[in-house]
Amino acid sequence: MNSNKMSKIQIAKAKRLRSTPYTSRIEKQGLKAYTTYNHMLLPAGFEDSLEDSYYHLKENVQVWDVAAERQVEISGEDSAELVQLMTCRDLSKSKDGRCYYCPIIDDQAGLINDPVVLRINQNKWWLSIADSDVILFAKGIAIGKNFNVKIIEPNVDIMAVQGPKSFPLMEKIFGKAITDLKFFGFDYFDFRGTKHLIARSGWSKQGGYEIYVEHTESGLELYDHLFEIGKEFNVKPGCPHLIERIESALLSYGNDFDLNDNPLECGFDKYVNLDSNVIFLGKEKLKKIRSEGIKKKLMGVIINLDKINMSQSIQLKDNENNIIGEMRSAVFSPTFKKVIGIAMLKKPYWDVGLEFNINIEGVSTKGTICNIPFI
Ligand code: THG
């Protein structure tokens, strides 16, 4: 009832809520909903149901307008030092032509963003950002440090090609070289005389590519071409998928975590390097957190329900009505036939198997804590 009413409310477009080069196309291709991301339109659903698009993504190939994953380009002689200062991941051995998933933190180790960092070369980096204004943070640091860098948001509009059939589809256009690309590697590939930066990456675990379109006209031709020759692979338009991403535990900045959480609480331990000699903001604070131990932790939850509609976090309680954490994202999973979610649990309540109570739209029910990813 509520959600039906909600869906009739439209979002008013304006210059401030930026369109993408693909907007007119996706609107003709059955787009049903937008969300906003980096002050830009991000498609959030097409005419297929959430479940139909889930199975479609897992079996076929989809093209996504993810231009809202904006680039912060940092170039110049101090660029490597600035990028390192912003992330707790050690980039001292990073290589040209590689992507790095990097938590960006402030001096208190609070998470500013979790971009994919592309090392184009030692003096030119792209931070492919999640939904927060990284460019202002970068500029602030650069000004304060008197760095010799140029920081811009270039005209780059990513289209993602995701799903198992993305490999034969992309091979048909770009040849075998594209299937040789390693996970999180990128290179330049020719399409009708124009070079496009293409990475083997994307916000799904179904495999695929991201095309960082700098030459819009050629990019739009490529977009149309993907749909033209993709027919044999059952290509459809799509967008980051709520069920798939929760099952895969691809975390979403602003939903699952934000400035009030640190990387160790979010399970980003792999991307936290405290024992090398690189210099970054928040390093001392993170060392302190590591030695004292974290006080909350992101976990999975499973709830015996067949639907849920979330737009804010929901408290989790124990039998004595103590708040033990909060669920931040959730969706019904057709694979588990239950609601699965991502929750921040307070110490000492993050034990796998622990039961909790949760009240959803007036109905009280029980759930269980589990590890992520679900799949
Ligand atoms: N692609 C690009 N930019 C992005 C995203 C993207 N910017 C915003 C947002 N997504 C950033 N968040 C993530 C989260 C997870 C991953 C990528 C971006 C990801 N993680 C892999 C995993 O979890 O298996 C691998 C990380 C690794 O180990 O290096 O892909 O999707 N361009």
Side-chain angles (χ1 to χ4, degrees):
M1 183 68 170
N2 230 343
S3 61
N4 283 342
K5 267 193 215 157
M6 294 277 290
S7 65
K8 297 215 175 69
I9 299 170
Q10 291 190 354
I11 190 162
K13 286 193 191 166
K15 178 171 178 293
R16 186 166 49 71
L17 178 42
R18 302 174 291 177
S19 296
T20 88
Y22 317 109
T23 299
S24 62
R25 280 172 171 71
I26 61 174
E27 290 185 358
K28 284 189 203 119
Q29 288 175 304
L31 182 81
K32 277 285 177 318
Y34 278 124
T35 183
T36 77
Y37 200 83
N38 287 318
H39 319 281
M40 202 172 214
L41 294 170
L42 175 64
F46 286 80
E47 54 199 358
D48 278 358
S49 71
L50 195 66
E51 277 198 27
D52 287 347
S53 62
Y54 167 78
Y55 290 115
H56 179 267
L57 172 61
K58 289 178 81 130
E59 289 156 18
N60 301 281
V61 52
Q62 297 182 351
V63 178
W64 298 357
D65 169 3
V66 283
E69 294 168 355
R70 302 310 289 167
Q71 306 310 300
V72 175
E73 177 179 304
I74 304 182
S75 59
E77 62 174 307
D78 295 328
S79 58
E81 192 179 344
L82 174 56
V83 173
Q84 182 62 80
L85 202 49
M86 292 166 63
T87 181
C88 53
R89 182 164 182 180
D90 182 350
L91 291 172
S92 61
K93 295 187 183 69
S94 60
K95 296 188 181 69
D96 296 356
R98 296 285 309 163
C99 304
Y100 300 89
Y101 182 46
C102 295
I104 292 187
I105 57 172
D106 68 7
D107 59 325
Q108 295 304 305
L111 277 152
I112 298 273
N113 204 287
D114 65 328
V116 176
V117 173
L118 287 77
R119 179 169 143 158
I120 294 172
N121 60 56
Q122 175 71 6
N123 290 320
K124 184 174 171 184
W125 305 72
W126 279 355
L127 277 51
S128 185
I129 61 170
D131 188 22
S132 74
D133 296 314
V134 171
I135 193 167
L136 305 181
F137 187 63
K139 278 179 182 281
I141 297 170
I143 294 163
K145 285 272 189 184
N146 225 352
F147 278 153
N148 185 1
V149 289
K150 186 174 148 209
I151 304 172
I152 59 164
E153 185 188 296
N155 288 318
V156 173
D157 298 287
I158 300 180
M159 67 173 126
V161 185
Q162 299 288 297
K165 301 277 174 64
S166 62
F167 300 105
L169 172 56
M170 290 292 275
E171 187 175 344
K172 242 183 129 178
I173 302 176
F174 297 104
K176 203 178 163 322
I178 197 102
T179 44
D180 291 341
L181 204 56
K182 298 246 167 17
F183 183 65
F184 264 43
F186 69 83
D187 208 339
Y188 295 85
F189 295 87
D190 180 273
F191 176 66
R192 297 178 181 164
T194 303
K195 293 251 179 249
H196 293 277
L197 189 163
I198 303 181
R200 171 113 176 251
S201 57
W203 214 56
S204 88
K205 289 275 194 176
Q206 307 311 312
Y209 299 91
E210 292 182 301
I211 307 166
Y212 289 71
V213 173
E214 289 179 85
H215 308 286
T216 306
E217 214 171 305
S218 172
L220 288 173
E221 255 185 61
L222 175 53
Y223 183 95
D224 294 338
H225 191 58
L226 281 163
F227 281 94
E228 195 47 48
I229 67 157
K231 281 179 192 150
E232 67 168 294
F233 305 113
N234 193 18
V235 68
K236 285 192 178 189
C239 50
H241 199 282
L242 187 61
I243 305 173
E244 198 279 339
R245 80 98 181 156
I246 291 182
E247 286 182 353
S248 306
L250 289 165
L251 301 182
S252 170
Y253 187 78
N255 287 321
D256 306 322
F257 66 102
D258 63 23
L259 204 42
N260 302 305
D261 307 308
N262 69 54
L264 298 174
E265 292 165 344
C266 299
F268 290 147
D269 306 50
K270 263 207 290 188
Y271 316 113
V272 177
N273 300 118
L274 293 174
D275 302 316
S276 79
N277 56 10
V278 295
I279 300 168
F280 57 84
L281 285 171
K283 191 174 187 179
E284 289 316 307
K285 178 76 186 186
L286 265 182
K287 281 186 178 172
K288 188 162 176 270
I289 294 166
R290 181 177 65 174
S291 69
E292 289 174 359
I294 53 172
K295 297 186 173 62
K296 59 191 196 317
K297 189 176 176 186
L298 224 44
M299 298 290 293
V301 293
I302 301 192
I303 305 166
N304 214 342
L305 283 176
D306 60 5
K307 61 171 186 296
I308 191 161
N309 218 325
M310 269 192 88
S311 57
Q312 54 194 27
S313 57
I314 305 177
Q315 289 177 344
L316 309 180
K317 294 182 173 174
D318 68 7
N319 285 335
E320 278 76 56
N321 228 25
N322 301 307
I323 298 166
I324 66 162
E326 61 174 25
M327 185 164 79
R328 295 178 171 182
S329 295
V331 73
F332 176 76
S333 158
T335 298
F336 292 92
K337 305 210 172 1
K338 289 187 168 80
V339 164
I340 60 171
I342 292 167
M344 186 61 90
L345 272 305
K346 289 192 210 171
K347 191 178 175 181
Y349 299 106
W350 61 57
D351 288 343
V352 170
L354 189 95
E355 273 202 344
F356 57 82
N357 302 313
I358 184 166
N359 190 301
I360 293 162
E361 287 171 20
V363 181
S364 187
T365 177
K366 282 197 182 295
T368 312
I369 295 166
C370 65
N371 284 314
I372 44 175
F374 291 88
I375 287 183

